[in-house]
Amino acid sequence: MLKTEQMVLNMGPQHPSTHGVLRLELELEGEIIVNVKPHLGYLHRCFEKHCEAMTYPQIIPYVDRLDYLASMNNEMGYAVAVERLLDIKVPERVEYIRVIMSELQRIASHLVAVGTYGIDIGAFTPFLYCFRDRERILSLFEKTCGARLLYNYIWIGGLSHDLPLNFVNETKDFLKDFKKTIVEINDLLSYNKIFIERTANVGVLNLESAINYGITGPNLRASGLKWDIRRDDPYSIYDRFDFEIPVGKGLHGQVGDCWDRYFLRVQEMEQSIRIIEQALDQLPEGEITSALPKRVKPPEGQIYSRVENPKGELGFFIVSKGQLQPFRVKVRPPSFINLSVLGELCKGHLIADVVAILGSIDIVLGEVDR
Amino acid sequence: MKSSEEIFAILKEKFGDAVLQLNTKLPKEAVIDVAPLSVTDICWFLRDNEELQFDSLTLLSALDDANGEKVTLEDGTTEFKGGTLSVVYHLESMKLKHKLVLRIFTERENPEVETVSRVWACADWHEREAYDMIGIKFLNHPDLRRILMPYDWEAGYPLRKDYKNPEFYHGMKVPY
């Protein structure tokens, strides 16, 4: 008589398609996945414990290292949280520069997501196009604050540097070229028949379980809900800009499949361009240091403040006991929570689809493990 | 859309003594304190009630309140005796667009809380992290293991305020 036996297979931690050090324990029946158990913590760096020993401004460089592909957004989230705790209002110019930087960083982060997703599936060329343009964004950051990945640029109440000479023109040039890149990416990858065959109808995440799992960001929007912190719980000056929130429509398969999640990021890059263009046009003159507090010592209290990161909702829950150091900082890392749905999505798919699904969720292990 | 006061009134009527108090004095956030062993029932109600519909658990965080008695041990280190640990739930309704903060206090020596992982699936990993870092035991949790620290970490719960770095990990010297 034929007997089937379940097999356990370890994927990772050293596996290129896990985007870092993630170990997945796959329970298999033949080539079909019965269960997925993620094992985390290989990159655990005690972020939250460190925070309790640091003063508020000293935490910013650590915040950079959470989602190291989107450091500007992390800094923005942390700065907004502490400013709300302190009731600081920052100057107009600072707000605009922050928005410009955050959106540039969002494009850079999505470019990595889109490019590496192509590699996961087996298309190498789009990756080179993506990284070529991401390099230009990083150069803009480098001109502004001297660092390419971990900036310590957005401070509580202000910024470390003003914009360099000619920044506005260079950014406009970049955006002009980048619009062409999006067309190229779409031609090369998005509407590529092989790519669609590989990703459409794979790993479908329906809206109900997406909300139940706390999924946020592009993954939630790909499942069909128009939910964006920039619009639904506005922070900074996002309510002044005119932009659309793309949602997954299931163009080549079902709503919430891998292709939807991938294509949503491409669409979001277009919206980020729109926001940056408006912000560059409205950018006021002025100075940037007037709201920097001499000593950051928030009153007793607690706050949960959140921003829209490229990966999802990044929240900081800060408890202050009226000291120079926070009593407790708890991060809501979007990647961590988005990753928890992986087991649910992979059930019943083939091993090769794990790579496609994991890539489409777009996690950064620096943030998952903290 | 409902304010914390209205939600508190609804909960108080439904659950009576299990809903302890509404704190509005804490700056920035109004917090409703509830009893640790009835939190699951309250959360089911919050999620499924027509007027409330809290369909999303944004964040579950655990805190060491460090409010017990500070005892100095023989080797010069300090430890807390008594006092509380707390768990804070940030809930949100994506349909009705209102938010709520629940908080529970539990004893430091025996930190037992009912799980909400069946109400919101994301609570599973949140609760594992709270167990890993602060040592809160979630009753009826399907798979309460450490998540970020090594599974065989024996030196305690790192985010407690009186945590001490171990000298050895399985006989190996920890280098700092």
Side-chain angles (χ1 to χ4, degrees), chain A residues 117 121 189-205 222 249-263 345 349-350 352-353 355-357 360:
Chain A
Y117 193 48
I121 301 295
L189 196 60
S190 309
Y191 301 120
N192 183 317
K193 191 155 183 296
I194 303 168
F195 180 73
I196 292 172
E197 293 275 311
R198 189 72 185 76
T199 53
N201 288 321
V202 173
V204 178
L205 176 63
K249 293 201 178 73
L251 278 184
H252 293 282
Q254 297 175 48
V255 176
D257 58 10
C258 286
W259 192 85
D260 265 0
R261 284 196 284 278
Y262 156 82
F263 192 62
L345 286 186
H349 282 291
L350 301 174
D353 288 335
V355 178
I357 292 169
S360 76

Side-chain angles (χ1 to χ4, degrees), chain A residues 211-212 214-216 220 225 227-229 231-234 304 306 308 313 332, chain B residues 1 7 46-47 52-59 89-102 120 122:
Chain A
I211 293 175
N212 201 250
I215 307 296
T216 45
L220 176 67
L225 184 69
W227 178 267
D228 191 317
I229 312 288
R231 184 200 65 167
D232 289 294
D233 190 5
Y304 176 72
R306 56 193 184 166
E308 183 74 30
E313 172 184 335
R332 183 204 191 275
Chain B
M1 200 163 162
I7 296 168
L46 285 171
R47 197 192 81 172
L52 303 171
Q53 295 190 37
F54 283 99
D55 47 12
S56 159
L57 172 69
T58 314
L59 181 67
Y89 303 79
H90 285 83
L91 311 180
E92 182 172 29
S93 167
M94 284 178 163
K95 288 196 190 93
L96 305 176
K97 304 213 167 166
H98 51 210
K99 295 186 224 169
L100 180 68
V101 188
L102 290 183
W120 298 286
C122 61

Side-chain angles (χ1 to χ4, degrees), chain A residues 23 37-41 44 48-49 52 84-85 87 211-216 220 225 227 231-233 300-304 306 313 317 319 327-328 330-332 336-337 339-340 368-370, chain B residues 26-29 31 47 55-66 88 90 92-94 97 99 101 103 119-122 125-126 129 133-134 145 147-149 151 158-161 163:
Chain A
R23 181 159 74 93
K37 264 193 201 164
H39 294 271
L40 321 173
H44 183 53
E48 286 169 14
K49 189 76 179 173
E52 291 172 13
R84 281 182 180 163
L85 204 55
D87 280 326
I211 293 175
N212 201 250
Y213 269 95
I215 307 296
T216 45
L220 176 67
L225 184 69
W227 178 267
R231 184 200 65 167
D232 289 294
D233 190 5
E300 199 165 318
Q302 62 181 48
I303 191 165
Y304 176 72
R306 56 193 184 166
E313 172 184 335
F317 175 55
V319 181
F327 183 73
R328 174 90 162 92
K330 165 84 188 169
V331 197
R332 183 204 191 275
F336 177 78
I337 293 153
L339 182 63
S340 68
V368 174
D369 293 341
R370 279 156 291 146
Chain B
L26 268 177
K28 309 292 178 195
E29 276 184 343
V31 177
R47 197 192 81 172
D55 47 12
S56 159
L57 172 69
T58 314
L59 181 67
L60 185 154
S61 28
L63 280 84
D64 181 358
D65 297 315
V88 183
H90 285 83
E92 182 172 29
S93 167
M94 284 178 163
K97 304 213 167 166
K99 295 186 224 169
V101 188
R103 181 174 61 180
V119 190
W120 298 286
C122 61
W125 281 22
H126 278 309
E129 196 190 330
M133 292 295 157
I134 303 272
R145 289 175 296 141
I147 187 165
L148 294 178
M149 302 293 286
Y151 296 126
L159 276 179
R160 288 206 183 177
K161 294 282 179 185
Y163 175 75

